[in-house]
Amino acid sequence: MISQTLVMPGEVLSEDILPVPANSSVSLKLGPGLRHTPPSTVTTTFAGLLSIDRKKNAIWVENNTGKYIPVPNDVVIATVHHSSTDYFHCSLSPYTSLALLPHLAFESATKKTRPQLSSGALVYARVLSSSKYQDPEIACFNPSTGRSEGMGELKGGMVFDISLGFARRLLLNKSKEEGELVVLEEVGDQLAFEIAVGRNGWVWVKAESVRETLLVGRALQETDTRMLRLDEQKKLVKKLSRQV
């Protein structure tokens, strides 16, 4: 279960707030909105809800507003801005510096077989590194396995804006129990579609028709902006499905 407390920028978290794992060998995972100052000081960097998952020994600040800040291991949807000799330069949001995507950062890619991505192309990628001193780097495969694991170019479909907090809820393993979301399950009972959720507040949807794609996107955006409960999400999907 995830507990949440409102915090403001610059607050120093007391040690009794930080989660304590059952296994002492498991390190504490700090997410967005927190800065670690050795040896053990943790400070908030922006306002929001301090979220603590004691089961995963993770802590972060949830903030639905403001710009996306890349964090290693985040999955993101990126738009190719331009290409240089060794990299695709990709946009993660309108307010962050361009991320570097190496030409060979795809499954089994070589200089001869690497993707030829033009400006405006969409890719589903994972953040490898990020700091305030250099541009973030992303990759379309898992470095530990060499497999794409669903990452790569996103062809066709449409992209919809959602809040950063809603993106995180969609990416939870148990989105129904932990994120209080059933909208995707309900839509999936009505029609077939593909979806990719980026932690940077973008969601890509591809269905059999433009009308169906728009239905999925609208269901997600209305659930997000209206902060619908589980029963309200079901009613929304039933209402929208009559329009298909």
Side-chain angles (χ1 to χ4, degrees), residues 24-238:
S24 59
S25 63
V26 178
S27 58
L28 176 64
K29 300 175 183 176
L30 299 182
L34 298 174
R35 177 184 296 118
H36 172 241
T37 304
S40 59
T41 302
V42 178
T43 310
T44 59
T45 58
F46 54 73
L49 291 175
L50 181 67
S51 303
I52 302 174
D53 190 334
R54 300 188 184 279
K55 184 176 180 181
K56 297 181 179 179
N57 196 34
I59 184 170
W60 68 96
V61 177
E62 194 68 73
N63 187 339
N64 285 343
T65 60
K67 69 177 183 180
Y68 168 69
I69 301 174
V71 175
N73 292 321
D74 275 359
V75 287
V76 294
I77 294 175
T79 304
V80 176
H81 184 273
H82 67 277
S83 178
S84 60
T85 304
D86 297 312
Y87 296 96
F88 296 110
H89 299 259
C90 304
S91 172
L92 301 182
S93 81
Y95 311 107
T96 56
S97 59
L98 297 179
L100 300 176
L101 173 61
H103 288 169
L104 302 183
F106 296 82
E107 181 179 352
S108 304
T110 65
K111 290 184 178 180
K112 292 184 178 181
T113 63
R114 67 179 180 84
Q116 301 296 322
L117 302 178
S118 58
S119 176
L122 296 173
V123 293
Y124 197 40
R126 185 180 300 276
V127 178
L128 293 183
S129 62
S130 178
S131 77
K132 61 181 179 180
Y133 303 109
Q134 60 184 18
D135 293 334
E137 183 173 336
I138 59 178
C140 290
F141 72 105
N142 187 333
S144 61
T145 64
R147 301 291 184 180
S148 65
E149 298 180 0
M151 291 176 281
E153 184 179 6
L154 298 174
K155 300 179 180 180
M158 301 177 69
V159 174
F160 300 88
D161 290 323
I162 55 175
S163 68
L164 300 182
F166 191 67
R168 183 195 64 80
R169 291 167 62 195
L170 287 172
L171 289 167
L172 291 172
N173 291 330
K174 298 180 180 179
S175 59
K176 181 177 181 179
E177 294 83 357
E178 298 178 359
E180 298 183 346
L181 291 175
V182 293
V183 60
L184 286 180
E185 293 181 15
E186 293 295 314
V187 175
D189 290 338
Q190 304 293 328
L191 51 90
F193 63 92
E194 298 175 58
I195 188 171
V197 180
R199 189 65 178 83
N200 52 332
W202 289 343
V203 57
W204 172 85
V205 179
K206 182 180 181 181
E208 294 183 357
S209 68
V210 173
R211 182 184 292 271
E212 292 181 349
T213 300
L214 289 171
L215 183 151
V216 179
R218 182 179 173 186
L220 290 172
Q221 289 183 321
E222 288 201 26
T223 299
D224 181 18
T225 57
R226 294 167 55 189
M227 297 181 287
L228 299 182
R229 300 188 301 270
L230 294 176
D231 59 326
E232 294 174 326
Q233 294 171 38
K234 295 178 181 180
K235 292 179 181 178
L236 172 65
V237 173
K238 288 181 180 180

